[in-house]
Each structure stands twice: as C-alpha cells, then as structure tokens.
Amino acid sequence: MKRTFGGNGVAGKRSMSNLRLRKKTVAGSAKLSSTSSQRNRRPRAASSNKPFKSRIRQTSRQTSRPLYRKKTVVSERLEEVASSSSPAAILTPSEPIVSVIIPVMNERRMIERVIREASRVHSRAEVIVVVNGSSDGSAAIARRCGAHVIEFPAALGHDVGRSVGASAARGQVLLFIDGDMVISAEALRPFVHAVLSGGVDVALNDYSGPTNKKIVHSVVLAKHVLNALLQRSDLKGTSMTAVPHAISRRALEKIEAASLSVPPLAHAKAVHYGLVVNAVHAINVGMLNLPRVVRERVNPLETLIIGDHLEAIEWLAEQTDRRGGFIDKLRKRELAR
Amino acid sequence: MRQSKQVYSKVKRKRARRISRPAASRRRSKRGFSASSELRTAYRAGMYDAKRLRSSGFPIVPSDSLKQQMNESWTHRCGQRRMSTVKMIADSSHYSEGFMAELNLPSQSWLPVAKHKSAAAVVLSGEGLNIAAIQELRRLPLEEVIVVLEAAGENPFTDIRRLPGVTIIHMAESLGQDVGRAIGLKLTKAETILFTNGSVVIPAERLAPFLAAVDSSADIALADTSGSLGLFSEWDDITRVKAFINWSFGRRDLLANSAADLPQAWSRKAIQIVGAESLAVPPVAHQSAIAHKLTIANCFVQKAGVGRKPMGPFKDTVTERLIIGDHIEALTAAIEQQGSRLSFLDRSRNRIAGRGGTP
C-alpha cells in the first residue's frame, strides 16, 4: 500500500494506479475527519500538487503548455474522486451567520488553506467559492474542502465573483477575501466581529498602501482621493477594493450585490448612503499579494481600478449636483460670462 | 597640432584642403562673435543700447515707454534665444542696470523679458493686498496691470492708487473664489495674461519665466509645485485631488500642478479655446486645456520648504470645500465629454453575471 508516487506526472498505467490509490486515501481521510480536528482533515491527495510546483506563477489560461494539459486530466479525475467522497456539507451550515466569499481563478495551490482559514472565522460560517475561468482543478479542491462552489467556465472579470457570491450568501455578515492569499482566521475575525457586534456596516482593512514617498502608486492615490471626495478623509486610503473586508446584510441590501463587482462604486455607495464605514483592523495585503507578471502585462489592473474610481465619482456626482455635494453658492458665476 | 590631425583623420585633412579660404578668416569665424568685444557682458550691452537710444532722440525720463523701449532692445538682442534660464534672467537684470546707468537714471530694477507679444497681469486680491506684490509686477515689461480688489476697504485701494499704471477694479462685495480672473480678463486685450495673487509677494525674476514661456511656445504656464510636495502622507486633500485629476486625464507628468494655483499665465489663444468664463472655475479650465491638448509649461516658483503651504488633514474651510467641489465638477465635465471611465475602459468584467444573470 505504501508506495511512493513518482512525482513526475508520467501518464500511463502507473499514474492511473496512483490515482486509484489516492482515491482510497481520500476516502479514508474523509472517515477520519468526522472525529479528528480540521487540521488533520487535509486529504493526502494534495500531494498531487507536487509535480507542478514549478508552475507557481501560472495565472492565465493563454499560456498553456504540455505539462498543463496533463495536469487538467489529473484534476478532472480528482473532481470525480472529490465528489464521491467529500465531507458532506461541513462548511455549508443550514443557517449560517457568516458567509465568506472567495472569488477564485486558478488558485489550486492556495485555495485549500484559504478555505480552511475562512471556515474557522465563526462556528456557523459558510464558505462560498466562486470559481471562474479555472482549469487547474480549483473547483474540485474547493468542493472537496466542503465549500459551496459556484462555478463558471469562463472568467468573470476582476471582482465580479464578489457579486455572484454575495447574491448566494445567506449569512448576516459577508466577509470578502481573495483566493490567492492565506490570511489566518484570527486575523479575519476582527472584521466579522466589528459587523456582528460592533455596529459597523462596512468593516474595512486599515491598509492604505505605502504612502511614505513622494510619488505613490496611482491606485493608492485614487483611494485617498475617493475618500476625500466622499468627505471621509479619516478613512485615508482604505477601500472596499482591498481585502479582507466584511459587510452587514443591511449594507448589502443598500448597495446591492451588483455594485460589489466595482468595489470603489460599492464603497462610494456605502459612504454616501450613510452606512457605518470604518477601518477596523490592519492587514498588510501589499506584502501578501502575489506578483502577477503575465496578467499585469496583458491586462493591467492599475488602469481598471482607476476607471472604477472614476465610475464611483461619476455616480457620486449623479447623486448630487455635479459637485459631489460641495455646494458653490458664493461664486457669482453670472459675472464671469 | 597639425601632425595629430593627420594621424587622426586623413579624410578631414583632404576636405579642409579643398576649401580655399585664408587661414585668418577661418580663425575669426571660429570665435563666433559678430559684434565687437564690448558687448560680451550684458551690462555693457545695456550701456551700448542706451547710448544708441539717447542718440536717436528718445525722451530720457523713467517712464513706462522707456521700460518698453528697453525691453524691445533686449528682445532684439536675445534673438532666437528665448529660453528663460537662470542665467538669462541674471543677464537681463545686468542689462537693465547698464542701460539705466548709461542714461544717468536711478536704477528702477526693471527686468526685461524677451517677448514679442503684449502682456498684462491680472492680480486677484482683497483685504490682504500686499503692495510689494504689485511693485514686483511693475518691474516686468507688462503693458497693463489690472488689480481686482474684492471686498476690500479703502486702505488697500488708496495704497495702489499711488502706483502709476495700475488699473483697479474695486468691488465692495466678494465675487466668489476666482471669478475675479474672468472679470479682470475682460479689461485687457493683451496676448499673454499673467494671473497672480495680490497677497503673496513673488519676485519678478520668478514671474518672468511665465511670460517668456507663454510668449514663445506654451499655451499655459503653470506654477510647478512638485519640488515642494514632500511625502504623499503629508499632502493635503486638495493636492491629492489635483494629482489624481492629472493622472486620470493622462498627464501624470504634471503631478499636482494645477490651474487652480497662482501664479499662472495664459495665452489669448488658450483662453479663447477653453472659454473665458471657465476661468472662474479653474479646475474646469484645467480640464478643458488638457482635453484640447494645449501645451502646458511648468515654471518653478519657489524652493522646497520656502513659503510652503502647511500641509495637513482636510481643514474643511469654506474655500477648501469649494475647491474640492470644483475638481469634482472638472471630473464630471471630462466624464460627460469622454465617457464614464475616461480612457480606463473595463473590457474584462462580465457585468451581467455580477447582476445575477447567466453569463
């Protein structure tokens, strides 16, 4: 029974036998999970990651290589395995209080740990994983971990998964995190608690980006400016663009799930509608962000987020008088004509 | 010398032989001085030009017409070199000293600026008017100086009345922030218009580059604040908004320079393009100038830390709120012209799925 796997992903008879073997191991671990702690529940099948460890930076589907195809085959098999033996809806309680929403696109190397931490934020937490445009078996891993998986074959685009997840959420608190960074449950709890018992509607990450320099990143600039235009300079550079953040159900009803796809717009709505928006706890996500070399070259996030902020400012101006509520009564414009 | 030439380039030697010019004339042209060696310094040049002016029979009294005459000869002397470098400004003040010394007149500390178009200054001021600020303007070759005095008492008014050649618009009540720019503009037909703040003294040497820039090539000359910005964490909200506006209009090189700041200079052409009335809301004029792709020059005004505005959190005064509102108005105007997200389109999001539909 105790055969070591080749680890080089060679297709053929031998690897098939490995899969069968793995299936058994997973089933065994599922039995174990009912009694043992969650940490021990991590299935052995995760060792299938090993042959592909060299592909950590792989982010987009365009750059498929022969190795990639092999892996897809393996992951499909894994899916079969997972569906047959997943721990039955452990992370989807019947009446959840906290819904953790994780948009995912090809995050198989992180997703398991992310889900594990997310499920620990509250005793009645549901984990919703919105898998989109993934071909690396992320969905299978998420299902196996017991998360409620919503799957889209095509990529939805940046942050659209938040809207999808929020529409499906049943909890009183919605916690948004990313699938590509592991944040411990201990660090996530302050956000949930601020909303559950602190009277906060939108609990933001107190992270403003690096500002101790003359020229900052444009996104940092935009976040500061949006808060200033919303007359909330005290929020500095915090924003719903950054994870983690938690919102109350009341906030979700006011700002509507669709706006969550454009986080600065959701942020502007939350502040403008008079919801309690506070920065509650600092997590330096700048340090945790993965370098996305390929994505930044093909589809830079920077310009997308600046556009999002402009969309938010446009919305703000529409709600008021073109001047964002900063009234200009003293100016005698008629004299200037 | 001759040997080394032969070693380094045979081709050159051959070419030089073909030119049949005496060695002496070649040497003279290398020196590059067309006129006599007396004109090597700006001071002597001033003396020379003054001598010629006196011999032409021009009335020698310290008047505005003498200042214009001096400026014309300086412009002529500068020729195509119309850069406003530090050296040129130093030269022009030496020229002016030499000019006045030759005419046995007291030095007026006039500062000639090489320019070909007429220029005027519009000074915005109220109760806090500083006469020294107007006196600095009088040193420049401006055809007109128009002071817009808003909500000011009699004292500042009588103070400026003593200065010759200054037009005053005196208003009992306030016009509102920056409306004075548009009002002052109506009174002049000059080609280059310099806008300044009457309560801040800026030496003429620092204002001259604004005139020179607009006169030569730029449509607008803005005060360059980038040297005094410091760390982003210390910026105030208005500075941040200005920087964001420039960034989103595709002019991140301007950093936080804005038409909302004085001093600044506009060409008549630029004013006609953006519309004189939009100058009453400077960020809107700024947006319009960038949208029309006008040439914007940045002129250094002061050293970092000198006379720098205290930066800090949003102070929420009426004026600051007004300026923030002006910038939102500018952004709204840009969005109306160019669309929701300006040039930062969202091509990747599936918004139907976000709204709950099936993708």
Side-chain angles (χ1 to χ4, degrees):
Chain A
M1 246 335 240
K2 253 205 162 183
R3 265 170 66 189
T4 45
F5 299 149
N8 48 6
V10 185
K13 231 180 181 177
R14 195 182 155 204
S15 72
M16 286 304 287
S17 68
N18 282 351
L19 271 173
R20 243 173 270 132
L21 186 69
R22 225 172 287 157
K23 190 174 178 176
K24 280 176 190 168
T25 332
V26 172
S29 66
K31 255 182 233 163
L32 258 176
S33 69
S34 54
T35 49
S36 66
S37 74
Q38 284 177 324
R39 189 167 283 277
N40 292 336
R41 198 154 46 77
R42 188 179 179 185
R44 299 284 308 166
S47 62
S48 64
N49 279 354
K50 264 187 178 170
F52 310 105
K53 226 172 186 177
S54 58
R55 283 183 60 258
I56 328 177
R57 293 273 167 97
Q58 184 67 49
T59 50
S60 77
R61 284 180 302 150
Q62 289 107 315
T63 49
S64 57
R65 285 176 279 181
L67 184 65
Y68 190 81
R69 205 168 290 165
K70 261 181 226 163
K71 187 203 63 194
T72 323
V73 171
V74 173
S75 64
E76 271 166 12
R77 299 234 165 233
L78 265 177
E79 204 167 330
E80 271 173 37
V81 171
S83 58
S84 62
S85 61
S86 71
I90 284 167
L91 303 183
T92 48
S94 57
E95 272 175 38
I97 291 175
V98 179
S99 304
V100 188
I101 292 144
I102 315 171
V104 162
M105 183 175 166
N106 295 330
E107 308 288 4
R108 60 183 236 142
R109 78 191 176 100
M110 287 272 199
I111 187 64
E112 193 177 340
R113 280 179 287 160
V114 173
I115 293 173
R116 198 195 315 140
E117 294 300 327
S119 61
R120 285 173 52 227
V121 294
H122 197 272
S123 55
R124 280 163 71 187
E126 64 168 349
V127 179
I128 300 168
V129 180
V130 183
V131 183
N132 63 104
S134 288
S135 49
D136 68 343
S138 298
I141 299 172
R143 271 195 203 102
R144 200 186 53 220
C145 293
H148 171 33
V149 177
I150 305 170
E151 201 173 355
F152 292 87
L156 290 175
H158 203 251
D159 294 327
V160 177
R162 292 189 190 175
S163 293
V164 174
S167 309
R170 292 173 296 149
Q172 288 310 302
V173 181
L174 287 81
L175 174 69
F176 295 90
I177 56 175
D178 276 356
D180 61 352
M181 60 173 80
V182 182
I183 302 168
S184 73
E186 287 71 29
L188 292 172
R189 275 180 203 135
F191 299 96
V192 174
H193 283 301
V195 179
L196 262 187
S197 47
V200 178
D201 287 311
V202 179
L204 298 173
N205 181 5
D206 193 0
Y207 173 72
S208 297
T211 56
N212 270 337
K213 45 187 181 178
K214 189 179 157 188
I215 296 169
V216 295
H217 193 271
S218 63
V219 171
V220 175
L221 173 67
K223 288 174 179 175
H224 279 87
V225 166
L226 182 61
N227 283 331
L229 300 186
L230 290 165
Q231 310 186 34
R232 281 297 303 271
S233 298
D234 58 300
L235 288 175
K236 292 181 199 154
T238 62
S239 166
M240 284 175 75
T241 306
V243 287
H245 64 262
I247 66 170
S248 65
R249 185 146 286 278
R250 181 170 96 105
L252 179 68
E253 278 159 13
K254 283 252 183 186
I255 62 185
E256 294 172 351
S259 313
L260 293 168
S261 301
V262 186
L265 178 63
H267 183 85
K269 284 187 173 178
V271 174
H272 188 75
Y273 289 149
L275 299 170
V276 184
V277 181
N278 278 338
V280 295
H281 180 69
I283 295 172
N284 189 336
V285 282
M287 300 279 279
L288 297 168
N289 258 329
L290 292 172
R292 304 282 191 171
V293 184
V294 179
R295 202 259 324 268
E296 281 305 309
R297 209 183 307 125
V298 177
N299 180 20
L301 208 52
E302 184 181 19
T303 51
L304 181 80
I305 296 178
I306 297 294
D308 290 354
H309 281 83
L310 290 168
E311 216 172 292
I313 293 167
E314 186 193 18
W315 178 85
L316 179 69
E318 275 171 12
Q319 302 306 304
T320 53
D321 56 343
R322 288 166 61 91
R323 295 179 56 86
F326 294 87
I327 310 149
D328 175 19
K329 278 181 188 159
L330 298 168
R331 205 179 252 143
K332 291 171 181 135
R333 296 196 186 206
E334 65 283 357
L335 291 174
R337 284 192 203 108
Chain B
M1 177 82 181
R2 207 178 166 174
Q3 252 187 343
S4 68
K5 257 189 187 171
Q6 280 176 341
V7 171
Y8 285 127
S9 140
K10 279 184 179 174
V11 185
K12 259 191 180 175
R13 186 169 52 86
K14 273 181 188 170
R15 239 186 226 168
R17 269 185 193 169
R18 257 181 234 150
I19 301 165
S20 55
R21 232 188 339 165
S25 80
R26 232 184 295 158
R27 209 176 298 136
R28 205 188 302 153
S29 67
K30 261 185 189 171
R31 247 187 223 167
F33 265 109
S34 52
S36 69
S37 59
E38 268 179 48
L39 304 184
R40 262 182 296 180
T41 65
Y43 189 89
R44 283 187 178 169
M47 286 175 78
Y48 180 85
D49 286 351
K51 216 181 279 178
R52 286 185 54 178
L53 184 71
R54 191 171 47 202
S55 61
S56 74
F58 193 86
I60 305 298
V61 279
S63 64
D64 268 8
S65 58
L66 182 68
K67 183 168 80 175
Q68 296 301 341
Q69 203 62 45
M70 178 176 85
N71 202 67
E72 259 174 45
S73 8
W74 171 246
T75 306
H76 181 70
R77 197 163 274 284
C78 287
Q80 292 304 308
R81 295 181 305 148
R82 289 201 279 169
M83 299 279 289
S84 55
T85 57
V86 175
K87 183 174 183 305
M88 254 188 104
I89 287 166
D91 275 355
S92 72
S93 86
H94 286 147
Y95 176 88
S96 153
E97 276 169 31
F99 197 93
M100 299 308 274
E102 176 64 29
L103 299 177
N104 291 322
L105 291 173
S107 171
Q108 302 284 327
S109 64
W110 287 338
L111 191 75
V113 179
K115 67 179 189 68
H116 295 271
K117 298 170 194 160
S118 58
V122 173
V123 186
L124 302 181
S125 196
E127 198 59 65
L129 174 79
N130 194 334
I131 287 295
I134 314 284
Q135 274 159 345
E136 287 297 329
L137 287 173
R138 299 262 309 128
R139 292 175 58 201
L140 291 167
L142 298 166
E143 271 81 4
E144 290 167 282
V145 174
I146 296 155
V147 179
V148 185
L149 264 181
E150 297 171 51
E154 283 302 306
N155 284 348
F157 179 71
T158 43
D159 283 349
I160 333 172
R161 280 286 289 197
R162 283 194 211 116
L163 297 172
V166 174
T167 313
I168 308 169
I169 306 174
H170 192 197
M171 303 266 191
E173 53 182 34
S174 173
L175 293 166
Q177 183 87 6
D178 299 311
V179 176
R181 297 191 195 186
I183 304 253
L185 191 64
K186 285 181 181 174
L187 286 180
T188 174
K189 287 197 160 54
E191 285 293 311
T192 306
I193 297 110
L194 176 71
F195 294 94
T196 65
N197 183 349
S199 47
V200 180
V201 184
I202 295 169
E205 283 82 359
R206 293 258 184 268
L207 294 173
F210 287 83
L211 292 181
V214 172
D215 194 86
S216 56
S217 57
D219 296 309
I220 304 164
L222 297 180
D224 191 1
T225 57
S226 42
S228 57
L229 283 177
L231 296 177
F232 179 83
S233 49
E234 295 160 8
W235 293 13
D236 60 13
D237 281 345
I238 293 177
T239 310
R240 287 172 179 170
V241 173
K242 285 172 185 166
F244 176 71
I245 279 213
N246 285 334
W247 209 100
S248 45
F249 293 165
R251 286 300 304 266
R252 64 181 91 173
D253 57 302
L254 292 176
L255 216 61
N257 299 348
S258 166
D261 294 326
L262 295 173
Q264 61 184 273
W266 288 70
S267 71
R268 179 62 62 179
K269 176 193 138 202
I271 288 172
Q272 276 161 358
I273 287 172
V274 304
E277 72 282 354
S278 77
L279 287 178
V281 189
V284 174
H286 184 83
Q287 182 271 325
S288 182
I290 292 176
H292 286 102
K293 296 199 163 46
L294 299 181
T295 321
I296 299 175
N298 299 299
C299 296
F300 170 80
V301 178
Q302 48 199 188
K303 273 185 208 160
V306 180
R308 182 171 132 192
K309 273 185 280 174
M311 297 272 190
F314 189 55
K315 282 179 284 297
D316 206 30
T317 62
V318 175
T319 319
E320 290 197 20
R321 290 179 59 81
L322 184 91
I323 295 172
I324 297 260
D326 287 356
H327 283 91
I328 300 181
E329 206 178 321
L331 276 168
T332 315
I335 286 168
E336 277 169 8
Q337 289 163 17
Q338 297 166 43
S340 233
R341 301 168 62 101
L342 300 183
S343 57
F344 310 100
L345 302 179
D346 174 11
R347 294 194 184 88
S348 59
R349 281 203 186 101
N350 182 342
R351 300 217 181 192
I352 301 158
R355 269 183 242 117
T358 42

